[in-house]
Amino acid sequence: MPEARPPIPAGQRASWDPRLQPCIPAVDLDGATAHHSLSAVFNRADDLAALDCTSPGETVAVIEYLLAICFASGTCPSSDEDWNGWILWQRPLAPAAEWLVKQPADSWDLFHPTHPLVQNADLSKDLRKSGTGTAQLIIEHSGDYNQHFDHHHLERDNPLPAADAFRATLTQHVYGPYGRARMSGGELGARVTNLAAGRLTGRIRVVALGKTLGETLRLNLYPPDGPGQPLNTSWTTSVLKQRRFEEKRKPRAPRSSADLHSALGRSVLLRPARGSHGQLMVDRVLIGAGEVLDLDPARHLQDAVYSTTTNGVSKPLWPSPSRALWQQAHALYGAVNDGRGGMYARLRSLLPYRRPEAEEPDPETPQGAPYHLWAVGLLTNKALPVLWTHGAYPYAPGLAAHLYRASRRGSDIAEYLAQTLKNAAIVAAETAFPAMRAADEAGQVARLDARYGFWPAAEDPFLKLLDEVVDRGFEDDDPVSAPLVAYAMQLMITARTRLLQLLDTLPPGPYNFSRRLCPATRAVRLFEEAVSGDRAPAELRAALD
């Protein structure tokens, strides 16, 4: 990436407008990738297949902002019945582009001196004293500021193009983890250093995906609170008085859907600089506390899928370091199937999807599910971002019950096999090392535990199971049973293979002279009895018949 030149002199003015400048990466229907301005995205929404951002979180953040513009411009359905018409008749999103170009240019200038777009100009004094390199702006790069104790990584000269900085700022507003800002509170107040978790941090955000970007936006629009109400363009020009930082601020309720999806969850300020070819870059960044919202689950978390913690508390599905996201796919289908309101009720109201009747499949006819439920979460270790977790699961109207059954049973089968692998590892370790100390037991079991290889290998068969259910569901009254049995057989073979590979690593010993005491024999026997026993899932037993 080209190095930035010194900051733009005080007598000169930098100006960059995302309505007109290419800033949103997207893939068109032919597979070509290009950057588009905000106006062009809305004008070409049905010619673009999907966004092509640098991370799942950034993609979600851009979708949130595009939805906010739709709500602010009134480009949205007025009722659930109207929403069905938007999907059926593919209502154009061009009115949002027309609204954008009519807005005052100063309100959409990323580097405006007093009200920069999606930023807080009140940080200007602190930026001169405490600003860092652009690593602080990108969630995946910033760590928790203790990742490198001397903060050298935050000081590196790694300027960002203005478009990248704009999208990274949107991501900070919705996904910024909690922690302590790397600045003092001397100018704006002590509370500016207390970073609250972003609106989507700590939970799974579910986005309904269509065949085009336009269809994706229409699927995720809804009858809004306050259609046509302004969105948050800048901290200092908001129609709502923004918080100060002298004392703790009580969370506020969003005043409209546009406000909700464009809320400034961080105070951010970017310093412009010129790149080696004269292009506008960002070379210094400062991030402080932002707005804190009081969210009503029914109105503001329409995509949330609820799960129960071990303590019996019901909360929106959250990213887990120990449980892969695909193992929770049944919760998404359950939300559609069980009468959940909001987005899931609207998806349930769509007419069942049927392929055109034809003796031979038409290569021009789109195959597979018409929609996908895309789940995205940010996994953190306290204040340290770890990784983005995400998965897309097929959805076809009218097949929610079948998909729920397949995903629920598919997850149960995988769980049962994983537990069997753990039990086999315990038996093998106890047989191979009968005199091991209690302190060594966990390590000896872990080296023989095939679950760590089994879980990643199980995801692809699970996704293929769901795809097959969708393909069969258009004509078959029971599209689940046969694919489930085949899936169970494949997972059983995978689990057994992983187990044998680890048992082969055991060193030879005197126990090999007696098959009764052989750890591999005992572990495999336990596995075989478990998968064929009365407690095994019916699909596993059927696969062995």
Side-chain angles (χ1 to χ4, degrees):
M1 184 176 292
E3 293 185 358
R5 294 174 179 174
I8 295 172
Q12 298 181 19
R13 165 84 185 277
S15 180
W16 188 88
D17 187 338
R19 299 175 306 165
L20 308 174
Q21 297 290 337
C23 60
I24 307 298
V27 181
D28 66 24
L29 298 178
D30 295 326
T33 302
H35 283 64
H36 306 272
S37 67
L38 288 175
S39 298
V41 164
F42 287 111
N43 281 322
R44 298 196 56 210
D46 289 305
D47 298 322
L48 301 174
L51 298 177
D52 187 39
C53 296
T54 57
S55 72
E58 184 177 280
T59 300
V60 170
V62 171
I63 289 174
E64 291 279 328
Y65 202 64
L66 295 176
L67 293 176
I69 293 172
C70 288
F71 289 128
S73 64
T75 311
C76 50
S78 59
S79 65
D80 286 343
E81 293 74 18
D82 189 29
W83 178 87
N84 271 273
W86 276 65
I87 304 302
L88 182 62
W89 302 111
Q90 300 182 9
R91 297 281 177 82
L93 299 173
E98 297 170 5
W99 177 87
L100 271 175
V101 297
K102 294 178 182 178
Q103 300 306 298
D106 280 358
S107 297
W108 289 86
D109 186 351
L110 191 67
F111 300 122
H112 195 281
T114 59
H115 43 271
L117 181 66
V118 298
Q119 298 166 72
N120 184 354
D122 291 343
L123 295 179
S124 56
K125 291 183 179 179
D126 283 298
L127 176 63
R128 289 191 287 271
K129 295 183 296 184
S130 305
T132 70
T134 56
Q136 185 182 176
L137 186 64
I138 301 174
I139 288 176
E140 298 89 341
H141 295 177
S142 63
D144 61 356
Y145 307 156
N146 293 316
Q147 188 175 11
H148 301 283
F149 63 89
D150 61 356
H151 306 299
H152 179 67
H153 69 308
L154 295 179
E155 301 298 343
R156 287 177 181 161
D157 184 15
N158 187 27
L160 283 176
D164 294 1
F166 170 64
R167 298 194 309 274
T169 301
L170 297 182
T171 310
Q172 279 284 347
H173 284 316
V174 293
Y175 277 112
Y178 76 89
R180 180 70 64 180
R182 195 169 182 267
M183 61 182 292
S184 74
E187 293 290 339
L188 298 184
R191 296 291 178 175
V192 76
T193 68
N194 296 343
L195 303 180
R199 178 168 58 89
L200 300 182
T201 306
R203 81 170 181 93
I204 298 296
R205 170 68 159 104
V206 182
V207 177
L209 300 180
K211 297 290 188 182
T212 66
L213 177 58
E215 188 172 52
T216 293
L217 293 176
R218 286 188 290 268
L219 285 168
N220 292 278
L221 287 170
Y222 54 87
D225 292 338
Q229 291 293 321
L231 49 74
N232 296 288
T233 53
S234 178
W235 191 272
T236 50
T237 59
S238 172
V239 297
L240 183 75
K241 184 177 180 181
Q242 298 288 349
R243 65 173 289 194
R244 308 308 298 168
F245 300 101
E246 291 83 7
E247 58 185 24
K248 185 175 181 180
R249 172 69 181 267
K250 291 182 62 177
R252 68 169 180 85
R255 66 183 183 273
S256 69
S257 295
D259 176 28
L260 169 68
H261 291 277
S262 67
L264 304 180
R266 287 283 188 268
S267 291
V268 179
L269 192 58
L270 313 174
R271 188 177 78 174
R274 289 288 178 186
S276 57
H277 300 290
Q279 73 275 34
L280 273 172
M281 311 282 283
V282 169
D283 68 343
R284 303 294 284 177
V285 172
L286 188 63
I287 298 177
E291 281 287 82
V292 182
L293 299 181
D294 180 17
L295 301 177
D296 178 349
R299 294 169 58 196
H300 305 134
L301 280 72
Q302 293 196 25
D303 66 292
V305 175
Y306 287 82
S307 185
T308 303
T309 67
T310 54
N311 297 326
V313 177
S314 178
K315 70 173 190 176
L317 193 63
W318 61 94
S320 171
S322 60
R323 189 171 174 82
L325 194 54
W326 63 266
Q327 295 174 254
Q328 300 288 350
H330 58 272
L332 309 184
Y333 297 124
V336 181
N337 192 51
D338 296 341
R340 185 73 53 82
M343 181 179 79
Y344 300 101
R346 289 188 291 275
L347 289 173
R348 190 171 57 252
S349 71
L350 292 171
L351 293 175
Y353 179 80
R354 298 289 181 186
R355 287 199 185 129
E357 294 184 3
E359 294 183 3
E360 296 292 336
D362 183 355
E364 300 299 324
T365 301
Q367 303 297 304
Y371 312 118
H372 282 78
L373 300 177
W374 187 42
V376 180
L378 176 61
L379 189 61
T380 61
N381 180 9
K382 297 181 180 178
L384 174 65
V386 177
L387 60 85
W388 296 103
T389 178
H390 64 108
Y393 309 104
Y395 173 70
L399 297 183
H402 294 311
L403 288 166
Y404 174 76
R405 178 187 163 204
S407 57
R408 173 78 267 183
R409 294 300 298 164
S411 180
D412 289 346
I413 292 166
E415 291 276 9
Y416 184 84
L417 287 169
Q419 184 60 48
T420 300
L421 290 173
K422 179 182 178 181
N423 295 341
I426 293 172
V427 166
E430 290 176 345
T431 306
F433 311 106
M436 64 181 171
R437 298 177 302 172
D440 297 332
E441 182 177 359
Q444 296 292 2
V445 171
R447 62 177 287 204
L448 298 172
D449 192 342
R451 290 180 300 168
Y452 304 110
F454 168 75
W455 279 123
E459 181 174 6
D460 190 55
F462 178 83
L463 297 177
K464 290 180 178 178
L465 165 68
L466 298 180
D467 287 336
E468 186 171 357
V469 169
V470 171
D471 288 339
R472 286 169 169 256
F474 300 118
E475 295 88 16
D476 196 337
D477 291 334
D478 181 9
V480 180
S481 295
L484 263 178
V485 172
Y487 162 84
M489 174 61 83
Q490 184 176 359
L491 254 60
M492 182 177 60
I493 293 172
T494 298
R496 194 176 192 277
T497 301
R498 300 281 177 175
L499 175 62
L500 292 175
Q501 288 172 343
L502 292 181
L503 293 176
D504 283 345
T505 65
L506 284 170
Y511 48 75
N512 286 333
F513 291 104
S514 170
R515 289 183 58 83
R516 184 175 61 85
L517 296 177
C518 176
T521 300
R522 291 194 63 189
V524 172
R525 182 180 300 162
L526 181 150
F527 180 85
E528 301 291 359
E529 291 175 353
V531 299
S532 60
D534 293 340
R535 293 187 177 183
E539 293 84 1
L540 275 174
R541 288 182 274 119
L544 294 172
D545 289 343

